[in-house]
Amino acid sequence: MGKIAELARLDAAKSGLFKKTSIVAATIVLPLFIALWVAFKADIDQVNGSLFWVVLILLAGSNLFLASLNLSGAHLVQQAFFENQDLKVIYNESIAENEQIKQSLYSLSIIQEAAIAWRVMQRKYFKNIVSVEDTKESIEEILSILRFEGDKIFDFNAGERWNFSVYIFDDRDEFLKPIWREKHRNHPSDGAGRHWKRGQGHIGKAFSDKTSKITGDASDPGVVDMVRAPEELLKEYDDEVYRSFASIPIGPIDNGDEPLGVLTATSDQKERFDLESCLILRHVAGVLANLIYMNQIDLHILIDDSTEQGS
């Protein structure tokens, strides 16, 4: 890179010198030479029209010749320099793309490993759950991948205040209530989380719409009304801590049914979640739904046994 740049500078200097020399030669030296030649070869008064046109043709021809010398190959090294600059940009873009591909492949490998582990857990837990403690243990094991691999899957920073929660819908009072939560040690919230009604916040909205809600910037005017908690549930740190989120419905197994609840992930960093990185959340939500349906788990007991409402 440095060698090409140096050659380009040298070539530019040589090209400039040659151009100046050509101009001097074409405008001063050559006309003076022709004038002297005419003076010595013929009397000025006797110069006929033919000789006049010969002189003009010689002047024009010499200028064209010198111009062709100046342009022919004069900028090849400069062109190579700028092409090299373009290649450098392409190379850097390729490096960035390769890093993204590596991250995607890593995420897919995690999902694949998790799928294998979940198959093992299905044989272990499905149809073998007899108590609420068994239920909580199986849910904890299914969600352990988020606790232990979440920083790699979502590329969390060391001090990033992330949060994962599972909410189950309580049809007795029609609230979504938290039954499981993992968060960064510096996360300012306490307890398992708040309770949400249908359509309330991104959690309630994902539940009522039966559709995943993934947002890279919760302050975006297009989504702020959807994600903002009602006044009675607002916390002073909400805008600072919940900047991006993903809320994934748990179920339903049958299209006509309501979901069982919502699996949610949040971060204090913008653009943390996207469709690709949230594939793992979709898989987790699917496994939780199957676990609950196949074991006919009593959700009322599960909810009542969970921690009290927090933030």
Side-chain angles (χ1 to χ4, degrees), residues 122-146:
Q122 284 178 353
R123 291 193 293 270
K124 177 181 178 181
Y125 291 119
F126 289 9
K127 295 298 184 182
N128 289 314
I129 294 178
V130 296
S131 68
V132 68
E133 291 303 320
D134 291 337
T135 301
K136 293 172 68 175
E137 180 185 348
S138 59
I139 290 174
E140 178 72 28
E141 190 165 351
I142 289 169
L143 295 166
S144 62
I145 187 174
L146 300 180

Short mmCIF file of all heavy atoms in Angstrom, two decimals, residues 122-146:
data_model
loop_
_atom_site.label_atom_id
_atom_site.label_comp_id
_atom_site.label_asym_id
_atom_site.label_seq_id
_atom_site.Cartn_x
_atom_site.Cartn_y
_atom_site.Cartn_z
N GLN A 122 -36.79 -33.59 26.52
CA GLN A 122 -38.15 -34.04 26.23
C GLN A 122 -38.37 -35.47 26.73
O GLN A 122 -39.39 -35.78 27.34
CB GLN A 122 -38.42 -33.96 24.73
CG GLN A 122 -38.66 -32.54 24.23
CD GLN A 122 -38.87 -32.50 22.73
OE1 GLN A 122 -38.69 -33.51 22.04
NE2 GLN A 122 -39.22 -31.35 22.20
N ARG A 123 -37.39 -36.32 26.44
CA ARG A 123 -37.50 -37.71 26.90
C ARG A 123 -37.44 -37.79 28.43
O ARG A 123 -38.05 -38.65 29.05
CB ARG A 123 -36.39 -38.56 26.29
CG ARG A 123 -36.54 -38.77 24.80
CD ARG A 123 -35.61 -39.87 24.31
NE ARG A 123 -34.21 -39.49 24.42
CZ ARG A 123 -33.52 -38.87 23.46
NH1 ARG A 123 -34.13 -38.56 22.31
NH2 ARG A 123 -32.26 -38.56 23.62
N LYS A 124 -36.70 -36.85 29.02
CA LYS A 124 -36.52 -36.89 30.48
C LYS A 124 -37.72 -36.31 31.22
O LYS A 124 -38.17 -36.87 32.22
CB LYS A 124 -35.25 -36.12 30.85
CG LYS A 124 -35.00 -36.04 32.35
CD LYS A 124 -33.72 -35.23 32.61
CE LYS A 124 -33.48 -35.10 34.11
NZ LYS A 124 -32.26 -34.29 34.41
N TYR A 125 -38.24 -35.18 30.72
CA TYR A 125 -39.26 -34.45 31.47
C TYR A 125 -40.68 -34.65 30.97
O TYR A 125 -41.62 -34.72 31.76
CB TYR A 125 -38.94 -32.95 31.45
CG TYR A 125 -37.73 -32.57 32.25
CD1 TYR A 125 -36.62 -31.99 31.64
CD2 TYR A 125 -37.68 -32.80 33.62
CE1 TYR A 125 -35.51 -31.64 32.37
CE2 TYR A 125 -36.56 -32.45 34.36
CZ TYR A 125 -35.47 -31.86 33.73
OH TYR A 125 -34.38 -31.52 34.45
N PHE A 126 -40.89 -34.70 29.65
CA PHE A 126 -42.24 -34.76 29.14
C PHE A 126 -42.94 -36.02 29.62
O PHE A 126 -42.43 -37.13 29.51
CB PHE A 126 -42.24 -34.69 27.62
CG PHE A 126 -41.85 -33.34 27.08
CD1 PHE A 126 -41.35 -32.35 27.91
CD2 PHE A 126 -41.99 -33.06 25.75
CE1 PHE A 126 -40.98 -31.11 27.43
CE2 PHE A 126 -41.63 -31.82 25.24
CZ PHE A 126 -41.13 -30.84 26.08
N LYS A 127 -44.12 -35.82 30.15
CA LYS A 127 -44.94 -36.90 30.71
C LYS A 127 -44.36 -37.46 32.02
O LYS A 127 -44.81 -38.48 32.50
CB LYS A 127 -45.13 -38.04 29.70
CG LYS A 127 -45.90 -37.65 28.46
CD LYS A 127 -47.31 -37.23 28.79
CE LYS A 127 -48.11 -36.94 27.54
NZ LYS A 127 -49.48 -36.48 27.85
N ASN A 128 -43.32 -36.79 32.58
CA ASN A 128 -42.73 -37.27 33.83
C ASN A 128 -42.81 -36.23 34.94
O ASN A 128 -42.21 -36.38 35.99
CB ASN A 128 -41.27 -37.68 33.63
CG ASN A 128 -41.15 -38.96 32.81
OD1 ASN A 128 -41.85 -39.93 33.05
ND2 ASN A 128 -40.26 -38.92 31.83
N ILE A 129 -43.51 -35.13 34.69
CA ILE A 129 -43.62 -34.06 35.67
C ILE A 129 -44.83 -34.32 36.57
O ILE A 129 -45.96 -34.45 36.09
CB ILE A 129 -43.74 -32.69 34.98
CG1 ILE A 129 -42.44 -32.38 34.23
CG2 ILE A 129 -44.06 -31.60 35.98
CD1 ILE A 129 -42.48 -31.08 33.47
N VAL A 130 -44.58 -34.40 37.84
CA VAL A 130 -45.66 -34.73 38.78
C VAL A 130 -45.87 -33.65 39.83
O VAL A 130 -46.83 -33.72 40.60
CB VAL A 130 -45.38 -36.09 39.48
CG1 VAL A 130 -45.37 -37.21 38.46
CG2 VAL A 130 -44.05 -36.04 40.23
N SER A 131 -44.99 -32.66 39.89
CA SER A 131 -45.14 -31.61 40.91
C SER A 131 -44.71 -30.28 40.33
O SER A 131 -44.09 -30.20 39.27
CB SER A 131 -44.27 -31.93 42.14
OG SER A 131 -42.90 -31.83 41.81
N VAL A 132 -45.06 -29.20 41.05
CA VAL A 132 -44.66 -27.88 40.61
C VAL A 132 -43.15 -27.71 40.64
O VAL A 132 -42.57 -26.98 39.83
CB VAL A 132 -45.36 -26.79 41.47
CG1 VAL A 132 -44.82 -26.80 42.89
CG2 VAL A 132 -45.18 -25.41 40.84
N GLU A 133 -42.50 -28.40 41.56
CA GLU A 133 -41.04 -28.33 41.62
C GLU A 133 -40.41 -28.97 40.38
O GLU A 133 -39.41 -28.50 39.86
CB GLU A 133 -40.53 -29.00 42.90
CG GLU A 133 -40.87 -28.26 44.18
CD GLU A 133 -40.35 -26.83 44.16
OE1 GLU A 133 -39.21 -26.61 43.69
OE2 GLU A 133 -41.08 -25.93 44.62
N ASP A 134 -41.02 -30.08 39.93
CA ASP A 134 -40.55 -30.70 38.70
C ASP A 134 -40.70 -29.73 37.52
O ASP A 134 -39.83 -29.62 36.65
CB ASP A 134 -41.34 -31.98 38.40
CG ASP A 134 -41.03 -33.08 39.39
OD1 ASP A 134 -39.95 -33.04 40.01
OD2 ASP A 134 -41.88 -33.98 39.54
N THR A 135 -41.82 -29.05 37.50
CA THR A 135 -42.09 -28.08 36.43
C THR A 135 -41.05 -26.97 36.43
O THR A 135 -40.47 -26.62 35.40
CB THR A 135 -43.49 -27.46 36.60
OG1 THR A 135 -44.46 -28.50 36.57
CG2 THR A 135 -43.77 -26.47 35.48
N LYS A 136 -40.80 -26.39 37.59
CA LYS A 136 -39.85 -25.29 37.70
C LYS A 136 -38.43 -25.75 37.35
O LYS A 136 -37.66 -25.02 36.71
CB LYS A 136 -39.89 -24.71 39.11
CG LYS A 136 -41.22 -24.01 39.41
CD LYS A 136 -41.34 -23.59 40.87
CE LYS A 136 -40.38 -22.50 41.23
NZ LYS A 136 -40.59 -22.02 42.61
N GLU A 137 -38.10 -26.98 37.73
CA GLU A 137 -36.77 -27.50 37.42
C GLU A 137 -36.60 -27.69 35.92
O GLU A 137 -35.55 -27.33 35.35
CB GLU A 137 -36.57 -28.84 38.13
CG GLU A 137 -35.19 -29.47 37.85
CD GLU A 137 -35.05 -30.84 38.48
OE1 GLU A 137 -35.90 -31.22 39.31
OE2 GLU A 137 -34.08 -31.55 38.12
N SER A 138 -37.62 -28.22 35.26
CA SER A 138 -37.53 -28.43 33.82
C SER A 138 -37.48 -27.11 33.07
O SER A 138 -36.73 -26.95 32.10
CB SER A 138 -38.70 -29.28 33.34
OG SER A 138 -39.94 -28.65 33.63
N ILE A 139 -38.28 -26.14 33.49
CA ILE A 139 -38.25 -24.81 32.86
C ILE A 139 -36.89 -24.16 33.06
O ILE A 139 -36.32 -23.57 32.12
CB ILE A 139 -39.38 -23.92 33.45
CG1 ILE A 139 -40.74 -24.43 32.98
CG2 ILE A 139 -39.17 -22.47 33.03
CD1 ILE A 139 -41.91 -23.70 33.61
N GLU A 140 -36.34 -24.28 34.24
CA GLU A 140 -35.02 -23.72 34.54
C GLU A 140 -33.96 -24.32 33.62
O GLU A 140 -33.09 -23.61 33.10
CB GLU A 140 -34.67 -23.96 36.00
CG GLU A 140 -33.29 -23.46 36.41
CD GLU A 140 -33.22 -21.96 36.48
OE1 GLU A 140 -34.26 -21.31 36.74
OE2 GLU A 140 -32.11 -21.42 36.25
N GLU A 141 -34.04 -25.63 33.40
CA GLU A 141 -33.04 -26.29 32.56
C GLU A 141 -33.20 -25.88 31.10
O GLU A 141 -32.21 -25.67 30.39
CB GLU A 141 -33.13 -27.81 32.69
CG GLU A 141 -31.97 -28.53 32.05
CD GLU A 141 -31.87 -29.97 32.50
OE1 GLU A 141 -32.59 -30.37 33.44
OE2 GLU A 141 -31.06 -30.71 31.91
N ILE A 142 -34.44 -25.76 30.63
CA ILE A 142 -34.68 -25.34 29.25
C ILE A 142 -34.13 -23.94 29.01
O ILE A 142 -33.55 -23.64 27.97
CB ILE A 142 -36.19 -25.39 28.94
CG1 ILE A 142 -36.65 -26.84 28.86
CG2 ILE A 142 -36.50 -24.67 27.63
CD1 ILE A 142 -38.15 -27.00 28.82
N LEU A 143 -34.31 -23.06 30.00
CA LEU A 143 -33.91 -21.66 29.85
C LEU A 143 -32.45 -21.41 30.22
O LEU A 143 -31.96 -20.29 30.08
CB LEU A 143 -34.81 -20.78 30.71
CG LEU A 143 -36.29 -20.75 30.30
CD1 LEU A 143 -37.14 -20.15 31.40
CD2 LEU A 143 -36.45 -19.96 29.01
N SER A 144 -31.75 -22.44 30.66
CA SER A 144 -30.36 -22.26 31.08
C SER A 144 -29.46 -21.78 29.95
O SER A 144 -28.45 -21.13 30.18
CB SER A 144 -29.81 -23.56 31.67
OG SER A 144 -29.80 -24.59 30.69
N ILE A 145 -29.83 -22.11 28.71
CA ILE A 145 -29.01 -21.67 27.58
C ILE A 145 -28.95 -20.15 27.50
O ILE A 145 -27.93 -19.58 27.10
CB ILE A 145 -29.54 -22.27 26.26
CG1 ILE A 145 -28.57 -21.94 25.11
CG2 ILE A 145 -30.94 -21.76 25.93
CD1 ILE A 145 -28.92 -22.61 23.82
N LEU A 146 -30.04 -19.48 27.87
CA LEU A 146 -30.04 -18.02 27.85
C LEU A 146 -29.14 -17.46 28.94
O LEU A 146 -28.47 -16.44 28.75
CB LEU A 146 -31.46 -17.49 28.03
CG LEU A 146 -32.48 -17.92 26.97
CD1 LEU A 146 -33.85 -17.33 27.27
CD2 LEU A 146 -32.02 -17.49 25.58
#
